[in-house]
Amino acid sequence: LESENSTLEGYTVGEREEKGENSVGASSGGPRVTTTSEKLDNDLFSLYFDGSSLGNPGRAGAGFVLRSGGREVARGKKYLGSPFTNNQAEYVAMTHGLKVAADYGATELTVFGDSMLILRQMKGEYRVGNKLIMYHNQAKRQAKTFTRVRYI
C-alpha cells in the first residue's frame, strides 16, 4: 500500500438509473462499489468482508458488503493482482469496507469476516507480523473514525 487511500485507487463514480443507485467503479470489469442514496440509520451498520489469493501468495481479490437497517447499502470488489497473500487480501477487503462505512457516516460498526487471524489482530488478541503490519495499521487508522467497532 503506497498511500492511505491506495486500496481504493481506481474507483470512479457513475449513475445507475434502474434502481436509483450509484455505481462506483471502472468500466469493463474493473473494481466496483454499488451504493444506495436512501436515508440510513448511522448507528446500525454491519460490514462483511472477504479476501483470497490463488497460490498464497498469488493473484488475489477482495470484497465487502455493507448493510444498514437489515438491507444491503453498498458492496465492493477489486482484483488486487499479484503477489498478495490471503491475509493481505483479507485486510484490503476490510479496509475497503471500513472506508465506505465511514463515507456513509456510520458511527458504530459490527465487522464480520471468516479470518480469525485478522479479526483477532484487530481486537489486539494476536500479534501482527512484519508482512501484515502495514495493512493492519491502515485498518486500525480507518477504524478510529467510528465511535465503536465490534469484530465478530
Side-chain angles (χ1 to χ4, degrees):
L1 303 177
E2 295 176 9
S3 70
E4 184 74 20
N5 293 319
S6 64
T7 58
L8 293 175
E9 226 169 73
Y11 287 96
T12 56
V13 177
E15 291 295 320
R16 286 187 63 188
E17 298 173 13
E18 65 269 14
K19 293 184 183 176
E21 297 175 333
N22 288 327
S23 175
V24 180
S27 60
S28 67
R32 185 172 196 84
V33 176
T34 303
T35 64
T36 183
S37 58
E38 294 179 30
K39 179 143 176 59
L40 304 171
D41 181 345
N42 291 345
D43 291 335
L44 303 174
F45 278 85
S46 299
L47 170 64
Y48 300 82
F49 73 92
D50 201 8
S52 67
S53 70
L54 181 62
N56 202 26
R59 295 177 304 162
F64 71 89
V65 173
L66 184 65
R67 296 180 61 85
S68 178
R71 63 185 181 79
E72 182 179 308
V73 295
R75 67 173 44 222
K77 64 183 178 180
K78 186 172 186 179
Y79 174 72
L80 302 175
S82 184
F84 277 84
T85 67
N86 189 67
N87 291 327
Q88 289 168 332
E90 294 272 4
Y91 265 116
V92 170
M94 182 174 56
T95 303
H96 279 180
L98 290 170
K99 168 74 170 104
V100 172
D103 289 347
Y104 267 93
T107 56
E108 294 189 18
L109 186 64
T110 303
V111 178
F112 298 89
D114 65 355
S115 173
M116 293 307 287
L117 175 73
I118 303 306
L119 296 170
R120 289 188 173 173
Q121 285 176 337
M122 291 300 290
K123 290 190 222 180
E125 295 174 359
Y126 283 6
R127 161 186 96 69
V128 181
N130 290 337
K131 291 182 181 179
L132 295 178
I133 194 70
M134 178 175 57
Y135 298 93
H136 176 77
N137 288 343
Q138 184 174 3
K140 289 299 266 188
R141 278 191 303 273
Q142 191 67 50
K144 286 182 181 179
T145 64
F146 304 100
T147 305
R148 180 177 178 209
V149 181
R150 294 184 323 147
Y151 299 96
I152 307 284

